[in-house]
Amino acid sequence: MSNIVSANGRSTITVPAGESIAVFTQGQAQVSRTIGFPNYPDVTTLIGTVTNGQTVFGSFSTGATIVVESVSAIPVLWEIGVSPQVQQQRLNAQVQAAPSNITDGAAMAFGSADMLAGIVTATPTTTRSIQLPTGASLDIVSEFAANESIDWTLITLAAFALTITVNTGHTIVGSAATAATSGAAARFRTRKTAADTFISYRVA
């Protein structure tokens, strides 16, 4: 995943020599550069504003200290590199990790980070329930700010339904089950509402 600056937050980033920084937001972000001088305070100067899109700043031949600030209620994503691109926002491509697979059994459960893969599969031998991770365990692996979320898909690879179930600090809104058809999928959006607290909404 690309690096995230929370809504109305800021981050100071060290860009190595010869590299650039790509900044993306669907709101607005300000990008500044901090330069130090001997015997004088550091000076931070605005070098650009990003509005509803991606802008690449650099390259910086000797490296740079960059401050990225969200100035709206929308998070900001950034990447550094020789030719950086914010992965989640490419128009015709995206990064998809290998799907997580949950082994069939009488007591099936999500691992803490399974849904972060974006796709979760299982091959049930009968109708099964899969317990969601606790809010506390998901908070540790996701490091989300309040109201940040992730969309993910659950796919049954057999002709039996899969139903997600609640856990401590993790509740469900909407239908929790896939259809009982091999290849049937259910789409969810999991949102952090507070520390150690998440809600998974059925969205498709």
Short mmCIF file of all heavy atoms in Angstrom, two decimals, residues 160-200:
data_model
loop_
_atom_site.label_atom_id
_atom_site.label_comp_id
_atom_site.label_asym_id
_atom_site.label_seq_id
_atom_site.Cartn_x
_atom_site.Cartn_y
_atom_site.Cartn_z
N PHE A 160 -21.42 -24.01 -1.48
CA PHE A 160 -21.91 -23.81 -0.12
C PHE A 160 -21.69 -22.35 0.27
O PHE A 160 -20.67 -21.74 -0.10
CB PHE A 160 -21.18 -24.72 0.88
CG PHE A 160 -21.34 -26.19 0.59
CD1 PHE A 160 -20.33 -26.91 -0.04
CD2 PHE A 160 -22.52 -26.85 0.94
CE1 PHE A 160 -20.47 -28.25 -0.31
CE2 PHE A 160 -22.67 -28.20 0.67
CZ PHE A 160 -21.65 -28.91 0.04
N ALA A 161 -22.61 -21.80 1.03
CA ALA A 161 -22.52 -20.40 1.44
C ALA A 161 -21.47 -20.22 2.53
O ALA A 161 -21.24 -21.10 3.36
CB ALA A 161 -23.87 -19.91 1.95
N LEU A 162 -20.85 -19.05 2.51
CA LEU A 162 -19.96 -18.60 3.58
C LEU A 162 -20.62 -17.41 4.26
O LEU A 162 -21.08 -16.49 3.58
CB LEU A 162 -18.60 -18.19 3.03
CG LEU A 162 -17.75 -19.29 2.37
CD1 LEU A 162 -16.53 -18.67 1.70
CD2 LEU A 162 -17.33 -20.34 3.40
N THR A 163 -20.64 -17.39 5.58
CA THR A 163 -21.25 -16.30 6.34
C THR A 163 -20.24 -15.75 7.32
O THR A 163 -19.66 -16.49 8.12
CB THR A 163 -22.48 -16.80 7.13
OG1 THR A 163 -23.42 -17.36 6.22
CG2 THR A 163 -23.13 -15.65 7.88
N ILE A 164 -19.97 -14.44 7.24
CA ILE A 164 -19.07 -13.84 8.22
C ILE A 164 -19.84 -13.58 9.52
O ILE A 164 -21.05 -13.31 9.50
CB ILE A 164 -18.41 -12.55 7.71
CG1 ILE A 164 -19.45 -11.46 7.40
CG2 ILE A 164 -17.57 -12.83 6.47
CD1 ILE A 164 -18.84 -10.10 7.08
N THR A 165 -19.14 -13.66 10.65
CA THR A 165 -19.77 -13.44 11.96
C THR A 165 -18.98 -12.41 12.74
O THR A 165 -17.79 -12.18 12.49
CB THR A 165 -19.85 -14.74 12.77
OG1 THR A 165 -18.53 -15.27 12.98
CG2 THR A 165 -20.69 -15.78 12.04
N VAL A 166 -19.63 -11.79 13.70
CA VAL A 166 -19.03 -10.69 14.46
C VAL A 166 -17.95 -11.21 15.41
O VAL A 166 -17.84 -12.41 15.68
CB VAL A 166 -20.10 -9.92 15.26
CG1 VAL A 166 -21.15 -9.35 14.33
CG2 VAL A 166 -20.76 -10.82 16.31
N ASN A 167 -17.18 -10.27 15.93
CA ASN A 167 -16.19 -10.57 16.95
C ASN A 167 -16.09 -9.35 17.85
O ASN A 167 -16.69 -8.30 17.58
CB ASN A 167 -14.83 -10.89 16.30
CG ASN A 167 -13.96 -11.80 17.17
OD1 ASN A 167 -14.10 -11.84 18.39
ND2 ASN A 167 -13.06 -12.54 16.53
N THR A 168 -15.32 -9.44 18.90
CA THR A 168 -15.18 -8.33 19.83
C THR A 168 -14.65 -7.10 19.12
O THR A 168 -13.59 -7.14 18.47
CB THR A 168 -14.21 -8.70 20.98
OG1 THR A 168 -14.69 -9.88 21.63
CG2 THR A 168 -14.10 -7.57 21.99
N GLY A 169 -15.39 -5.99 19.17
CA GLY A 169 -14.97 -4.76 18.52
C GLY A 169 -15.14 -4.77 17.02
O GLY A 169 -14.59 -3.90 16.33
N HIS A 170 -15.90 -5.72 16.48
CA HIS A 170 -16.06 -5.81 15.02
C HIS A 170 -17.46 -6.31 14.72
O HIS A 170 -17.78 -7.48 14.95
CB HIS A 170 -15.02 -6.77 14.43
CG HIS A 170 -14.81 -6.60 12.96
ND1 HIS A 170 -13.68 -7.01 12.30
CD2 HIS A 170 -15.61 -6.05 12.00
CE1 HIS A 170 -13.78 -6.74 11.01
NE2 HIS A 170 -14.96 -6.17 10.81
N THR A 171 -18.32 -5.42 14.21
CA THR A 171 -19.71 -5.75 13.95
C THR A 171 -19.99 -5.71 12.44
O THR A 171 -19.12 -5.36 11.64
CB THR A 171 -20.65 -4.77 14.67
OG1 THR A 171 -20.30 -3.42 14.31
CG2 THR A 171 -20.51 -4.90 16.19
N ILE A 172 -21.22 -6.09 12.07
CA ILE A 172 -21.61 -6.22 10.67
C ILE A 172 -22.90 -5.46 10.43
O ILE A 172 -23.82 -5.51 11.24
CB ILE A 172 -21.82 -7.70 10.29
CG1 ILE A 172 -20.54 -8.51 10.56
CG2 ILE A 172 -22.23 -7.85 8.82
CD1 ILE A 172 -20.77 -10.01 10.54
N VAL A 173 -22.97 -4.78 9.28
CA VAL A 173 -24.21 -4.15 8.83
C VAL A 173 -24.55 -4.72 7.46
O VAL A 173 -23.73 -4.69 6.54
CB VAL A 173 -24.07 -2.61 8.74
CG1 VAL A 173 -25.32 -2.00 8.10
CG2 VAL A 173 -23.85 -2.02 10.12
N GLY A 174 -25.76 -5.28 7.32
CA GLY A 174 -26.19 -5.84 6.04
C GLY A 174 -26.02 -7.35 6.01
O GLY A 174 -25.60 -7.98 6.98
N SER A 175 -26.35 -7.93 4.86
CA SER A 175 -26.26 -9.38 4.69
C SER A 175 -24.83 -9.86 4.84
O SER A 175 -23.91 -9.29 4.25
CB SER A 175 -26.80 -9.78 3.31
OG SER A 175 -26.61 -11.15 3.09
N ALA A 176 -24.64 -10.93 5.60
CA ALA A 176 -23.30 -11.40 5.92
C ALA A 176 -22.88 -12.63 5.12
O ALA A 176 -21.78 -13.13 5.30
CB ALA A 176 -23.19 -11.70 7.41
N ALA A 177 -23.75 -13.13 4.22
CA ALA A 177 -23.49 -14.41 3.56
C ALA A 177 -23.32 -14.27 2.06
O ALA A 177 -23.94 -13.41 1.42
CB ALA A 177 -24.63 -15.38 3.86
N THR A 178 -22.50 -15.16 1.49
CA THR A 178 -22.45 -15.32 0.04
C THR A 178 -23.62 -16.22 -0.38
O THR A 178 -24.27 -16.86 0.45
CB THR A 178 -21.15 -16.00 -0.40
OG1 THR A 178 -21.17 -17.37 0.02
CG2 THR A 178 -19.93 -15.30 0.17
N ALA A 179 -23.85 -16.27 -1.66
CA ALA A 179 -24.80 -17.27 -2.17
C ALA A 179 -24.16 -18.65 -2.08
O ALA A 179 -22.94 -18.80 -2.00
CB ALA A 179 -25.17 -16.94 -3.61
N ALA A 180 -24.99 -19.69 -2.13
CA ALA A 180 -24.50 -21.07 -2.04
C ALA A 180 -24.19 -21.60 -3.44
O ALA A 180 -24.71 -22.64 -3.88
CB ALA A 180 -25.52 -21.94 -1.34
N THR A 181 -23.35 -20.87 -4.16
CA THR A 181 -22.98 -21.21 -5.52
C THR A 181 -21.47 -21.08 -5.66
O THR A 181 -20.89 -20.09 -5.21
CB THR A 181 -23.66 -20.26 -6.53
OG1 THR A 181 -25.07 -20.29 -6.33
CG2 THR A 181 -23.33 -20.66 -7.96
N SER A 182 -20.82 -22.07 -6.25
CA SER A 182 -19.38 -21.98 -6.43
C SER A 182 -19.02 -20.73 -7.22
O SER A 182 -19.57 -20.48 -8.30
CB SER A 182 -18.86 -23.22 -7.15
OG SER A 182 -17.46 -23.15 -7.31
N GLY A 183 -18.12 -19.95 -6.70
CA GLY A 183 -17.71 -18.71 -7.34
C GLY A 183 -18.48 -17.50 -6.89
O GLY A 183 -18.15 -16.37 -7.29
N ALA A 184 -19.50 -17.68 -6.04
CA ALA A 184 -20.28 -16.54 -5.56
C ALA A 184 -19.42 -15.66 -4.66
O ALA A 184 -18.61 -16.14 -3.87
CB ALA A 184 -21.51 -17.03 -4.79
N ALA A 185 -19.62 -14.35 -4.78
CA ALA A 185 -18.80 -13.39 -4.04
C ALA A 185 -19.67 -12.42 -3.26
O ALA A 185 -20.79 -12.10 -3.68
CB ALA A 185 -17.89 -12.62 -5.00
N ALA A 186 -19.15 -11.95 -2.16
CA ALA A 186 -19.79 -10.89 -1.37
C ALA A 186 -18.75 -9.81 -1.14
O ALA A 186 -17.60 -10.11 -0.80
CB ALA A 186 -20.32 -11.42 -0.04
N ARG A 187 -19.14 -8.56 -1.32
CA ARG A 187 -18.22 -7.42 -1.20
C ARG A 187 -18.54 -6.64 0.07
O ARG A 187 -19.71 -6.35 0.35
CB ARG A 187 -18.39 -6.51 -2.42
CG ARG A 187 -17.40 -5.36 -2.51
CD ARG A 187 -16.06 -5.82 -2.97
NE ARG A 187 -15.20 -4.69 -3.33
CZ ARG A 187 -13.89 -4.77 -3.42
NH1 ARG A 187 -13.28 -5.92 -3.18
NH2 ARG A 187 -13.16 -3.73 -3.76
N PHE A 188 -17.50 -6.30 0.83
CA PHE A 188 -17.67 -5.61 2.09
C PHE A 188 -16.75 -4.38 2.16
O PHE A 188 -15.70 -4.34 1.51
CB PHE A 188 -17.34 -6.53 3.28
CG PHE A 188 -18.24 -7.73 3.38
CD1 PHE A 188 -17.91 -8.91 2.73
CD2 PHE A 188 -19.41 -7.67 4.12
CE1 PHE A 188 -18.74 -10.02 2.82
CE2 PHE A 188 -20.24 -8.77 4.22
CZ PHE A 188 -19.91 -9.95 3.56
N ARG A 189 -17.16 -3.40 2.93
CA ARG A 189 -16.32 -2.26 3.27
C ARG A 189 -16.15 -2.24 4.78
O ARG A 189 -17.12 -2.11 5.52
CB ARG A 189 -16.92 -0.95 2.79
CG ARG A 189 -16.12 0.31 3.19
CD ARG A 189 -16.59 1.52 2.42
NE ARG A 189 -16.36 1.32 0.99
CZ ARG A 189 -17.03 1.96 0.04
NH1 ARG A 189 -17.96 2.83 0.35
NH2 ARG A 189 -16.77 1.71 -1.24
N THR A 190 -14.91 -2.37 5.24
CA THR A 190 -14.63 -2.40 6.67
C THR A 190 -14.07 -1.06 7.10
O THR A 190 -13.04 -0.61 6.58
CB THR A 190 -13.66 -3.53 7.01
OG1 THR A 190 -14.29 -4.78 6.70
CG2 THR A 190 -13.30 -3.52 8.48
N ARG A 191 -14.75 -0.41 8.02
CA ARG A 191 -14.45 0.96 8.44
C ARG A 191 -14.07 1.00 9.92
O ARG A 191 -14.72 0.39 10.76
CB ARG A 191 -15.68 1.83 8.22
CG ARG A 191 -15.67 3.21 8.87
CD ARG A 191 -16.93 3.98 8.50
NE ARG A 191 -17.15 5.12 9.39
CZ ARG A 191 -18.06 5.15 10.35
NH1 ARG A 191 -18.86 4.12 10.55
NH2 ARG A 191 -18.19 6.23 11.11
N LYS A 192 -12.99 1.73 10.20
CA LYS A 192 -12.61 1.95 11.60
C LYS A 192 -13.42 3.11 12.16
O LYS A 192 -13.41 4.21 11.60
CB LYS A 192 -11.11 2.25 11.71
CG LYS A 192 -10.66 2.53 13.15
CD LYS A 192 -9.16 2.76 13.22
CE LYS A 192 -8.73 3.11 14.64
NZ LYS A 192 -7.26 3.27 14.76
N THR A 193 -14.11 2.90 13.26
CA THR A 193 -14.92 3.96 13.87
C THR A 193 -14.25 4.57 15.09
O THR A 193 -14.53 5.71 15.44
CB THR A 193 -16.29 3.42 14.28
OG1 THR A 193 -16.12 2.34 15.22
CG2 THR A 193 -17.05 2.90 13.07
N ALA A 194 -13.37 3.82 15.75
CA ALA A 194 -12.65 4.29 16.93
C ALA A 194 -11.53 3.29 17.19
O ALA A 194 -11.41 2.28 16.49
CB ALA A 194 -13.59 4.39 18.14
N ALA A 195 -10.70 3.56 18.17
CA ALA A 195 -9.62 2.63 18.51
C ALA A 195 -10.18 1.24 18.78
O ALA A 195 -11.15 1.08 19.53
CB ALA A 195 -8.86 3.13 19.73
N ASP A 196 -9.61 0.22 18.12
CA ASP A 196 -9.99 -1.19 18.32
C ASP A 196 -11.45 -1.47 17.96
O ASP A 196 -12.03 -2.45 18.44
CB ASP A 196 -9.74 -1.62 19.77
CG ASP A 196 -8.29 -1.52 20.18
OD1 ASP A 196 -7.42 -1.47 19.29
OD2 ASP A 196 -8.02 -1.48 21.40
N THR A 197 -12.06 -0.64 17.10
CA THR A 197 -13.48 -0.79 16.78
C THR A 197 -13.70 -0.63 15.28
O THR A 197 -13.33 0.40 14.70
CB THR A 197 -14.31 0.25 17.54
OG1 THR A 197 -14.00 0.20 18.94
CG2 THR A 197 -15.80 -0.03 17.37
N PHE A 198 -14.32 -1.65 14.66
CA PHE A 198 -14.57 -1.64 13.22
C PHE A 198 -16.00 -2.11 12.92
O PHE A 198 -16.59 -2.86 13.70
CB PHE A 198 -13.60 -2.59 12.50
CG PHE A 198 -12.17 -2.11 12.48
CD1 PHE A 198 -11.35 -2.26 13.60
CD2 PHE A 198 -11.64 -1.50 11.36
CE1 PHE A 198 -10.04 -1.82 13.58
CE2 PHE A 198 -10.33 -1.05 11.33
CZ PHE A 198 -9.53 -1.21 12.45
N ILE A 199 -16.51 -1.65 11.77
CA ILE A 199 -17.78 -2.14 11.25
C ILE A 199 -17.54 -2.60 9.82
O ILE A 199 -16.94 -1.89 9.03
CB ILE A 199 -18.87 -1.05 11.25
CG1 ILE A 199 -19.12 -0.52 12.67
CG2 ILE A 199 -20.17 -1.61 10.67
CD1 ILE A 199 -20.07 0.66 12.71
N SER A 200 -18.03 -3.80 9.49
CA SER A 200 -17.97 -4.29 8.12
C SER A 200 -19.37 -4.17 7.51
O SER A 200 -20.32 -4.77 8.00
CB SER A 200 -17.49 -5.74 8.07
OG SER A 200 -16.10 -5.82 8.30
#
